[in-house]
Amino acid sequence: NYASELLNMAESDSLIYADAQDEIEDEERMPDTTSATVDEEQDEVHIIPVDSMPPGGKRISVRMLGSLRKVFNDSNYIHLGVARKYGITPIMKLSDAWNLKVPVIRVVPTETYYIDKLTYSLPYLVPRAKKLLDDIAQTWKDSLTARGGGDYRLKVTSMLRTPATIKKLRRRNTAAVDSSAHQYGTTFDISFVKFVCDNPSTPRTAEDLKNLLAEVLYDLREEGRCYVKYEHKQGCFHITTR
């Protein structure tokens, strides 16, 4: 069933072989410091600047980890090694989706995370990666609630890619690599510059939300659950399940 759904979605949305439109802003390449509210019925994201402390906003007490670029510096080689161990065989052509060595699960928005409009990837992960994403988002949400609240969700910006989508992405983003762990369904990106705000009654800064996410990722990595790369230019945490 998952293979049929993956094939139907890829064909109907033309995500694997369609050319990227120049007018589409590539958020994997051009981040900004914002939060957003979402109109679920129209699936639209409404941007609310939070560069400085909003009126009535509260700071979040977080554990400072130092330079996040240095703390989260697991190399692409490390991500690839574990991705090949636990992931699917890269989908070279659509028919390969029928012969995956590991099943994949379609990922849909939840109360704890929002799925960005994916131009260069498909919303699928292997089960252990989906579980990791759910745990990251729920832990982050629980931590936010425990430290004074705020109706926010994480924003997932990339998941399963194919060699074809990577080729398309490299035309727009030279930082993208051919040997990407995203090809294995084990890897996803979470924005640290954009967060979804479902209710602005308790405003938070993007910086505090980012540092809280870093704290959650640090603990899960220490537990041996994942590898993490801080991607400054892409404005996201690049995460691979272990």
Side-chain angles (χ1 to χ4, degrees), residues 53-144:
M53 175 59 68
K58 299 178 180 179
R59 298 306 303 265
I60 301 173
S61 175
V62 296
R63 187 180 350 136
M64 301 309 294
L65 301 174
S67 170
L68 297 184
R69 189 180 301 189
K70 294 180 179 179
V71 172
F72 299 109
N73 195 31
D74 296 325
S75 70
N76 185 54
Y77 176 81
I78 292 175
H79 284 265
L80 274 174
V82 72
R84 288 167 177 159
K85 179 178 180 180
Y86 293 116
I88 66 173
T89 301
I91 301 173
M92 304 300 295
K93 55 186 181 299
L94 290 179
S95 60
D96 290 344
W98 292 103
N99 301 302
L100 300 179
K101 67 177 183 179
V102 179
V104 291
I105 300 173
R106 183 171 181 177
V107 184
V108 298
T110 71
E111 294 182 351
T112 57
Y113 56 83
Y114 174 77
I115 308 299
D116 199 10
K117 293 181 180 179
L118 305 177
T119 305
Y120 301 104
S121 63
L122 295 166
Y124 287 85
L125 293 171
V126 298
R128 66 190 303 128
K130 170 65 163 55
K131 178 65 164 58
L132 175 64
L133 173 59
D134 290 342
D135 289 348
I136 290 170
Q138 188 62 61
T139 302
W140 179 82
K141 186 76 170 181
D142 291 345
S143 297
L144 180 60

Side-chain angles (χ1 to χ4, degrees), residues 179-229:
S179 54
S180 171
H182 281 284
Q183 297 176 95
Y184 299 88
T186 56
T187 304
F188 51 89
D189 295 342
I190 298 179
S191 174
F192 59 66
V193 293
K194 286 190 175 183
F195 299 86
V196 174
C197 177
D198 294 308
N199 187 330
S201 60
T202 306
R204 300 291 191 176
T205 66
E207 187 67 18
D208 281 351
L209 296 175
K210 167 187 172 180
N211 287 330
L212 184 61
L213 175 57
E215 182 180 306
V216 171
L217 293 176
Y218 181 86
D219 289 342
L220 288 172
R221 193 179 66 164
E222 288 295 296
E223 294 172 12
R225 293 283 308 276
C226 60
Y227 289 116
V228 184
K229 176 72 173 178

